[in-house]
Amino acid sequence: MTGRLDRWEHLLERQLAAAPYVLLAVSMVLSLLTGSNPWVTSGVAALAAAWMWSAPRGPVYVAGLVVLIGALCTQGIWFASFFGFVGYLHSWQYLKGKWRFVGLTATAAICVATYRGGLPEPTASATLTYLFFTAAIVAAVGLFSFAGEITAERSAQRKLMVARLEEAMRENAGLHAQLLVQAREAGVLDERQRMAAEIHDTLAQGLTGIITQLQAAMAAKQAEDWHRRVDNAIGLARESLAEARRSVHAVGPGQLEAAPLSQALHDVVTHWGELNGVRADFTVTGTVRPMHPEVEETLLRTAQEALANAAKHAGASRIGLTLSYMEDVVTLDVRDDGAGFDPERVRDGGGFGLTAMRKRVSRLAGTLEIESEPGAGTAISASVPAVVRG
């Protein structure tokens, strides 16, 4: 639609540019047919055409055009009927303010005198009639020209608005494409972070346990102990492989499918204590109720990470986990009597396990607190909102 209107506007501009020459030619032909002097008429018409073609547009151009119109009108009334229209058009187009009406009045006075066969007789009636028709033509031409100017101004404003709208649409398209790229990159980054956390919580912890069991098996002096350690390593390998497959498909931990969170944590703690030969106690306080799957998964993974860190770094002889169901939050506390560490040294950097643990809890608008000091053990407390399942 916009392209068609643009074509029409260009066509109208070309027609308006050619109209003065067409009107001049029509007036000259009709005047010659009605017996005007061909040499004088053709010469003045040629001068008028050259003036319109070459003269710079402005007050001087309009003044010369009005003089030429007056000269041509002496050769025939047809110039007042047709070519006089160019005087009205160009007076309004190339003059400003009150000078527009000066040009219109001069052109109208010439044309009306030509229609009447000359200047009016020096009588009140003839003079008033002459002035009335001149004023009427000036008023009509001025009114229609003003209306056309308003239409042209509105058209220019609409074209400017359309251009701005098209520019805004191009910018929006660019921003949309940029947002799509950023969303895609953010999605890739989130998936990488998820996979990294899942691999750390499954494969890394499983491999650490396998290495520990194999090292213990190599150091075992009795065949029975050696076989037990190897069996433990094989069991950990199978569990880690199953968890890795579940992580790839973004499925929750297998422990939570077979049992509620409290039972799953009890099984994890018991199994960990048997593997590492460390006393591990598990306590539940409050009213046990099913939580949202993401809440339960976060607490389970936090417990697994805390136990893995204790087995790898703490050298503890005793560890205790407490799962507390409160009205608004669910809290998991993990305490050991191991070597401990300086929290300030790992607060900013820390290991990947602590970082992943903190991110998991923060994603649920929870809090993770770590209290430890060298030789005094470690206490980890994770609190997340108590969002009930379903």
Side-chain angles (χ1 to χ4, degrees):
M1 182 67 179
T2 302
R4 184 174 63 178
L5 291 177
D6 290 338
R7 291 194 298 271
W8 287 354
E9 287 184 353
H10 294 323
L11 178 61
L12 179 60
E13 289 176 358
R14 291 195 296 269
Q15 290 176 345
L16 289 176
Y21 303 98
V22 173
L23 293 174
L24 178 62
V26 170
S27 301
M28 185 181 68
V29 170
L30 292 175
S31 295
L32 292 176
L33 291 176
T34 54
S36 64
N37 189 323
W39 297 107
V40 175
T41 302
S42 299
V44 178
L47 181 60
W51 181 259
M52 290 189 297
W53 180 264
S54 60
R57 297 304 188 256
V60 175
Y61 164 77
V62 174
L65 178 64
V66 171
V67 171
L68 289 170
I69 290 174
L72 288 170
C73 285
T74 62
Q75 301 300 310
I77 194 175
W78 299 109
F79 287 101
S81 301
F82 292 99
F83 188 58
F85 177 77
V86 179
Y88 302 128
L89 180 65
H90 286 188
S91 292
W92 192 269
Q93 186 175 1
Y94 298 119
L95 295 178
K96 302 297 180 181
K98 62 183 181 180
W99 294 106
R100 286 176 167 178
F101 292 95
V102 173
L104 293 179
T105 302
T107 304
I110 292 173
C111 293
V112 172
T114 303
Y115 293 143
R116 292 174 57 87
L119 292 174
E121 297 177 358
T123 62
S125 175
T127 301
L128 289 175
T129 301
Y130 177 76
L131 293 177
F132 172 78
F133 282 109
T134 301
I137 293 175
V138 170
V141 173
L143 177 62
F144 285 108
S145 298
F146 183 67
E149 191 172 58
I150 293 176
T151 302
E153 182 67 22
R154 288 182 175 176
S155 177
Q157 290 179 354
R158 284 193 294 268
K159 290 178 67 175
L160 180 60
M161 292 176 62
V162 169
R164 290 178 177 175
L165 180 60
E166 291 177 348
E167 180 64 24
M169 292 176 65
R170 285 193 293 269
E171 292 180 359
N172 288 339
L175 290 175
H176 181 67
Q178 184 178 355
L179 288 175
L180 287 178
V181 173
Q182 292 177 350
R184 191 179 301 112
E185 292 177 350
V188 171
L189 179 60
D190 289 344
E191 182 62 16
R192 286 177 178 174
Q193 291 177 346
R194 184 191 73 83
M195 289 301 300
E198 292 293 339
I199 290 172
H200 177 271
D201 292 342
T202 55
L203 289 179
Q205 292 179 6
L207 291 173
T208 300
I210 292 170
I211 292 172
T212 302
Q213 294 298 319
L214 292 178
Q215 288 175 341
M218 293 177 63
K221 297 181 179 180
Q222 298 180 0
E224 181 180 349
D225 192 27
W226 184 87
H227 283 294
R228 184 177 65 84
R229 296 290 186 179
V230 172
D231 289 340
N232 288 338
I234 293 173
L236 286 173
R238 288 174 177 171
E239 291 176 5
S240 298
L241 179 59
E243 287 296 316
R245 288 172 176 169
R246 301 176 69 85
S247 299
V248 169
H249 296 288
V251 180
Q255 297 94 328
L256 294 176
E257 285 191 351
L261 175 62
S262 57
Q263 184 61 45
L265 284 175
H266 180 270
D267 295 341
V268 168
V269 172
T270 301
H271 185 54
W272 180 89
E274 293 174 352
L275 287 176
N276 295 277
V278 176
R279 178 182 174 182
D281 300 321
F282 177 67
T283 305
V284 179
T285 65
T287 302
V288 177
R289 55 193 187 275
M291 293 288 110
H292 189 278
E294 193 169 354
V295 172
E296 294 188 347
E297 180 180 351
T298 297
L299 293 174
L300 178 64
R301 294 303 191 195
T302 301
Q304 290 175 328
E305 177 61 29
L307 291 172
N309 288 341
K312 186 176 181 180
H313 304 292
S317 61
R318 183 178 179 182
I319 191 168
L321 278 77
T322 302
L323 179 63
S324 302
Y325 288 91
M326 290 174 271
E327 183 177 356
D328 297 327
V329 296
V330 182
T331 302
L332 175 68
D333 296 303
V334 184
R335 303 172 306 280
D336 68 67
D337 59 356
F341 60 92
D342 183 2
E344 294 296 331
R345 297 183 60 183
V346 299
R347 187 179 300 277
D348 297 329
F352 184 84
L354 292 177
T355 302
M357 193 188 308
R358 196 178 299 278
K359 285 184 177 180
R360 281 184 180 277
V361 175
S362 298
R363 192 179 298 125
L364 298 183
T367 58
L368 181 70
E369 297 180 359
I370 301 174
E371 296 180 2
S372 181
E373 60 180 75
T378 301
I380 297 176
S381 178
S383 297
V384 293
V387 182
V388 180
R389 185 190 301 267

